[in-house]
Amino acid sequence: MKYLIPTALIALMAMPAAAFERMLRSDCQDSVQRAFDLIPSTNPSEQMIVNTLKQSIRVTPQGWCQLNGSDAQDRAEFDVIEWRMEDPKRWVRDGIPPLALEVRITGLEPDEMQGNMNTQRPDVNVEVLLRQLPDAGMIVVERAVMENDAGDSLSVSGVFERVFLSSPSMMQVSMGSAAFKAGLMSMTLEGTHENPFGFGIDVDMRGVPQAQRDAAFEIVSQVPDGVINDASRAELTAYAGDLPKPVGTLEVSVASARGLGLMQVGMAAYTSFSSVVDGEGDGNQLDILLDGITVEADWTPSAQVAD
């Protein structure tokens, strides 16, 4: 493994960790209410369900908000969810994101997440830590981890810039200015289960190894030469060749010189759609979308597989 850490992430790793306060039960309850208020609903009994959830929330001895999945009736696909915030009043009182948010979820069922399948994949646990740097206009994904007891794990970190969340109006502005700057993904697979994390992969390909490999090869081949070098393309191709149950660690680093903005993504999608409608597709949509993006990859098969 080469530890392909983007420069933007290296600089942020040296910053002080978020200072979390002990959550009050009232803040825990109000944070849930605030989240549900953002979701449009025509169900008149929705608020009754929310009230039931709020009454089921407790505060752990360590100061985390906690909700058991069993208390969420038929709406939960997890065992326990816990969360805490830095400066929670920003969210519960002002409706703007807290300075930091940490969430832990245990007992997520991959089969449920992928449409009630029956593969006997082990439950997945998730930990996410998000932090904003208001003066710099940045959102930092310090840690986002999925793992199970079989030895599979996926960790992601990243930086988004031009994000300003000081007020609802600035949040609306940020929807157009926000841009992805850099990210790192590391995935270790034990090889017992296909798609151990329950991602929304085409279920028609399940159990058809060559179809999965062909689809992955096609994706790798479509990435423009200016985005990925020959060595990294070879690493991704080697990983694709080990599907559907690779054993080892895949590390992918992505960086953007100018920042990959939502407007850039939207324009690329519009251009692609217009080309198809007009019958003038020229195959350069990815070049437009990924202009200024660099990708590095490293696939390290498990020692026993490599041998």
Side-chain angles (χ1 to χ4, degrees), residues 276-290:
V276 172
V277 171
D278 297 336
E280 300 175 352
D282 56 8
N284 70 342
Q285 284 79 24
L286 270 179
D287 297 85
I288 297 172
L289 176 62
L290 301 179

Side-chain angles (χ1 to χ4, degrees), residues 159-172:
V159 181
F160 295 83
E161 61 181 6
R162 301 197 292 275
V163 184
F164 302 96
L165 307 176
S166 58
S167 67
S169 60
M170 289 303 297
M171 290 167 61
Q172 290 184 330

Side-chain angles (χ1 to χ4, degrees), residues 67-261:
L67 176 66
N68 292 323
S70 58
D71 295 327
Q73 302 174 7
D74 296 332
R75 302 167 63 87
E77 297 176 355
F78 58 85
D79 289 341
V80 178
I81 180 171
E82 298 177 325
W83 69 97
R84 60 180 182 175
M85 303 176 185
E86 180 185 357
D87 196 359
K89 293 299 183 184
R90 290 170 57 95
W91 174 244
V92 300
R93 183 189 61 204
D94 303 326
I96 58 178
L99 294 178
L101 170 67
E102 189 168 14
V103 179
R104 303 189 301 207
I105 307 174
T106 59
L108 279 172
E109 300 179 9
D111 285 352
E112 291 291 331
M113 292 189 289
Q114 206 177 2
N116 296 314
M117 299 178 68
N118 184 21
T119 66
Q120 304 302 312
R121 286 172 290 185
D123 287 354
V124 173
N125 299 326
V126 176
E127 291 189 23
V128 178
L129 174 56
L130 306 175
R131 180 159 56 110
Q132 62 164 307
L133 306 176
D135 293 340
M138 287 184 172
I139 293 290
V140 181
V141 183
E142 289 195 7
R143 182 177 71 255
V145 179
M146 300 181 72
E147 57 187 6
N148 60 27
D149 291 336
D152 302 300
S153 66
L154 170 67
S155 63
V156 176
S157 57
V159 181
F160 295 83
E161 61 181 6
R162 301 197 292 275
V163 184
F164 302 96
L165 307 176
S166 58
S167 67
S169 60
M170 289 303 297
M171 290 167 61
Q172 290 184 330
V173 171
S174 293
M175 293 179 64
S177 65
F180 169 79
K181 184 62 177 178
L184 177 67
M185 184 277 292
S186 180
M187 180 168 59
T188 297
L189 299 170
E190 186 268 343
T192 300
H193 305 277
E194 286 186 31
N195 186 18
F197 306 112
F199 296 137
I201 297 173
D202 188 348
V203 295
D204 292 336
M205 290 187 182
R206 182 174 172 268
V208 187
Q210 194 57 51
Q212 296 184 39
R213 288 192 286 267
D214 289 345
F217 289 146
E218 177 66 18
I219 293 172
V220 174
S221 68
Q222 292 295 320
V223 180
D225 291 336
V227 172
I228 188 170
N229 59 33
D230 291 342
S232 291
R233 194 187 300 274
E235 295 287 331
L236 291 176
T237 300
Y239 166 77
D242 287 342
L243 290 171
K245 296 180 180 180
V247 183
T249 298
L250 175 67
E251 189 174 80
V252 178
S253 168
V254 182
S256 174
R258 294 181 296 276
L260 179 60

Side-chain angles (χ1 to χ4, degrees), residues 1-4 232 235 249-252 296-300:
M1 191 185 308
K2 297 178 181 178
Y3 299 102
L4 309 173
S232 291
E235 295 287 331
T249 298
L250 175 67
E251 189 174 80
V252 178
E296 296 182 67
D298 179 63
W299 167 237
T300 305

